[in-house]
Amino acid sequence: MTRPIPLFSLVIFPNSEQSTLIKSYKQLLKNHIGWFGSANAMAHITVINFENDLSLQLHLDMIREFCKTVVPQKVILNDWDSFGESVFFIKPDQISQQYLDNLIIDLHQYLGFKIKNAHAHLSIARGLDAEKMKKAYDLFRNSEINLQYNCDSFYLRRFNDQTKQYSDIVEKIDFGK
């Protein structure tokens, strides 16, 4: 039995120029290996998902309060990596990884959710097999990646049944405000 797609997703976006670059990477990969999971998804780092409106409404004020305490920080994503043969992604440098993972873990704990660890990353492709993963690595191995941006907010997205994407931005929640 497959789980339903969460209705809401709280994410971190890179800046618009970098989002466009990620979109071009996804298109290039799609031209080489065919369709894959997240091929059309906007560049993002997932923080937490909410299955329905009630679940979100129970936690949204707490998320806003949490964000008031967060200090923005420049983050750097600068290496290609994968989770086994399934997910190909761009990973943060060590300092950014620690900041982003702590941000995710701290929010979950603040909301009362159990979480043991996080592994913040920016997915390029999901659901790959061994052959497609090898092609992804071969394609990007010599491509230097160095995304840097100020991580200063969360974005709340709603899943759009018509587009089959998280294309509807509901709210931007700034840090430290």
Side-chain angles (χ1 to χ4, degrees), residues 9-147:
S9 182
L10 192 68
V11 300
I12 298 166
F13 284 135
N15 66 39
S16 61
E17 181 181 292
Q18 293 164 351
S19 293
T20 300
L21 180 63
I22 298 303
K23 185 176 183 177
S24 72
Y25 289 151
K26 290 180 179 211
Q27 185 60 51
L28 178 65
L29 185 58
K30 192 163 71 168
N31 291 344
H32 280 79
I33 68 171
W35 188 90
F36 51 84
S38 74
N40 298 321
M42 287 179 56
H44 69 279
I45 296 171
T46 301
V47 176
I48 192 169
N49 293 322
F50 294 96
E51 301 298 321
N52 55 52
D53 193 55
L54 177 60
S55 178
L56 172 67
Q57 293 308 317
L58 288 172
H59 299 98
L60 190 53
D61 285 338
M62 288 180 71
I63 293 169
R64 291 180 185 127
E65 287 301 312
F66 173 84
C67 287
K68 290 178 184 178
T69 69
V70 176
V71 176
Q73 179 174 310
K74 181 174 111 174
V75 295
I76 300 169
L77 292 94
N78 62 357
D79 199 11
W80 304 103
D81 203 351
S82 65
F83 294 129
E85 296 175 346
S86 180
V87 180
F88 184 67
F89 61 89
I90 302 170
K91 74 176 184 178
D93 68 8
Q94 187 175 359
I95 292 169
S96 299
Q97 186 78 60
Q98 186 174 3
Y99 172 78
L100 293 166
D101 287 353
N102 287 342
L103 191 58
I104 293 168
I105 291 168
D106 291 350
L107 175 64
H108 278 78
Q109 290 175 342
Y110 185 81
L111 297 176
F113 297 136
K114 292 182 181 180
I115 185 172
K116 293 181 181 176
N117 58 29
H119 195 278
H121 62 281
L122 203 155
S123 294
I124 299 296
R126 296 184 171 282
L128 302 182
D129 58 26
E131 182 182 333
K132 288 181 177 182
M133 181 62 74
K134 181 182 181 322
K135 287 181 181 178
Y137 268 113
D138 289 346
L139 186 60
F140 293 105
R141 151 182 32 228
N142 296 320
S143 299
E144 187 175 315
I145 185 79
N146 188 22
L147 307 178

